[in-house]
Amino acid sequence: MSLPRDLYVGFTGSPLDRAEPARHDAGALAALAGNPAALLLDMPDYLPPTIDGALDWKPLPPLPAEELLLLGLIDGIPRFARIDPEAVAAKRWAELMTVLDNLSLGEAGTYAAARSVLDWHARHRFCANCGAKTAPHHAGWARLCLRCGTEHYPRTDPVVIMLAEYEGRVLIGRQPGFAPGRYSALAGFVEVGESIEEAVARELREEAGVIATAVRYVASQPWPFPSQLMIACIADVADDSVTLDMAELEDAKWVDRAEVETSLRGDEGAVFGAPPRYAIANSLFRAWLAGR
Ligand SMILES: [Zn+2]
């Protein structure tokens, strides 16, 4: 882990040892599943089962091999989730946000991995190559087409999220669906054929009409709704004139350090409502204040 210890990045820091070799070794997988200490993170509704702010693991019941998702080992104990063959794709419930506020950083990271993989299984029952049915493979970390033999792997979609910086201020924006008063860093999916730096520059130009002259990487985060990799950056820009794409943003404004500090603290009279602490936009604001 190369993250600065004082930079909190949501959904990172899981203590999982992913035990990758066991995914390709049926004997090793059976031994882990047959371990009487093996535990299950049971979440048929994709919500994390919790007890006292931690994940609530249950003894692993006997399950068919094709329903086993081997998450890995924690404290040397095998950890599994169940791939429900009838599951439907996850929705994002409002109550999940409250649950996440009460989970520790590493626990939320373990949950994020399990949720993204289970949700991917529910969305990928058929082969993108030939259309036939697929089945879980490699201890739940792949699916195998039962007709053409193509292997499919859980997807991770890269998204850049960035602060444009100009003369001691950063640009924040507001999407139409945000809670009242909420502003955040600008963001967008990395497109095929683009580098991270090029995606940052393109999104800033498209959404706000600002021209990036330099881009620096700050941190990244797995985001399990459903499976993005958020890549946080800060971009120097040529000037502070803004031309909004109203289809993407309903407002944007430049804020200085004091305004970001009061917003992160949630002070009365703060000029904007900051993103929640498990969102990497929150970490990005903190990194900027820390001079990174
Ligand atoms: Zn196929």
Side-chain angles (χ1 to χ4, degrees):
M1 294 290 144
S2 60
L3 285 176
R5 276 182 303 170
D6 59 337
L7 184 59
Y8 177 105
V9 180
F11 302 118
T12 64
S14 166
L16 269 181
D17 162 0
R18 296 189 176 213
E20 196 269 348
R23 298 177 191 172
H24 312 279
D25 180 338
L29 180 63
L32 291 174
N35 183 327
L39 295 173
L40 174 73
L41 188 65
D42 189 25
M43 37 185 221
D45 53 4
Y46 299 96
L47 286 172
T50 63
I51 182 166
D52 298 332
L55 293 173
D56 186 13
W57 299 87
K58 301 292 189 191
L60 178 70
L63 288 174
E66 65 272 18
E67 293 183 17
L68 288 172
L69 168 60
L70 173 63
L71 296 172
L73 306 173
I74 298 176
D75 301 328
I77 295 172
R79 312 284 175 140
F80 289 88
R82 176 177 172 247
I83 303 166
D84 177 355
E86 308 297 326
V88 294
K91 296 189 215 86
R92 196 166 156 178
W93 286 271
E95 70 244 46
L96 176 58
M97 301 301 129
T98 311
V99 177
L100 289 174
D101 272 339
N102 295 316
L103 268 188
S104 75
L105 183 62
E107 294 284 83
T110 301
Y111 164 67
R115 177 188 167 108
S116 279
V117 177
L118 293 179
D119 187 35
W120 172 79
H121 280 288
R123 294 167 190 264
H124 292 79
R125 295 233 169 76
F126 296 92
C127 177
N129 187 47
C130 77
K133 280 192 172 171
T134 59
H137 191 47
H138 293 334
W141 287 89
R143 292 185 76 89
L144 179 68
C145 176
L146 300 175
R147 181 196 289 156
C148 77
T150 300
E151 290 181 348
H152 301 275
Y153 291 89
R155 56 186 296 166
T156 298
D157 299 323
V159 173
V160 288
I161 179 163
M162 57 272 165
L163 291 173
E165 180 180 29
Y166 186 74
E167 294 189 345
R169 293 181 301 157
V170 289
L171 183 65
I172 60 174
R174 186 182 151 71
Q175 294 175 16
F178 281 8
R182 166 73 53 79
Y183 282 73
S184 188
L186 274 53
F189 284 97
V190 178
E191 293 193 347
V192 170
E194 233 177 12
S195 70
I196 292 169
E197 293 84 351
E198 287 166 339
V200 167
R202 176 183 52 76
E203 287 288 341
L204 287 175
R205 190 175 64 245
E206 287 176 359
E207 293 192 3
V210 295
I211 305 302
T213 55
V215 175
R216 61 187 188 274
Y217 167 84
V218 175
S220 69
Q221 170 191 57
W223 182 253
F225 310 109
S227 59
Q228 291 90 314
L229 177 67
M230 307 297 295
I231 304 163
C233 296
I234 296 174
D236 296 333
V237 295
D239 62 54
D240 61 356
S241 64
V242 170
T243 307
L244 276 192
D245 174 357
M246 299 301 287
E248 298 273 351
L249 296 174
E250 64 179 29
D251 191 29
K253 57 189 174 188
W254 294 93
V255 289
D256 64 20
R257 304 178 65 83
E259 289 168 326
V260 172
E261 282 170 0
T262 54
S263 296
L264 287 177
R265 282 200 302 265
D267 288 0
E268 194 140 339
V271 298
F272 69 97
R277 68 169 189 152
Y278 47 80
I280 198 171
N282 186 296
S283 315
L284 184 55
F285 282 121
R286 293 180 192 281
W288 178 67
L289 289 176
R292 298 207 175 94

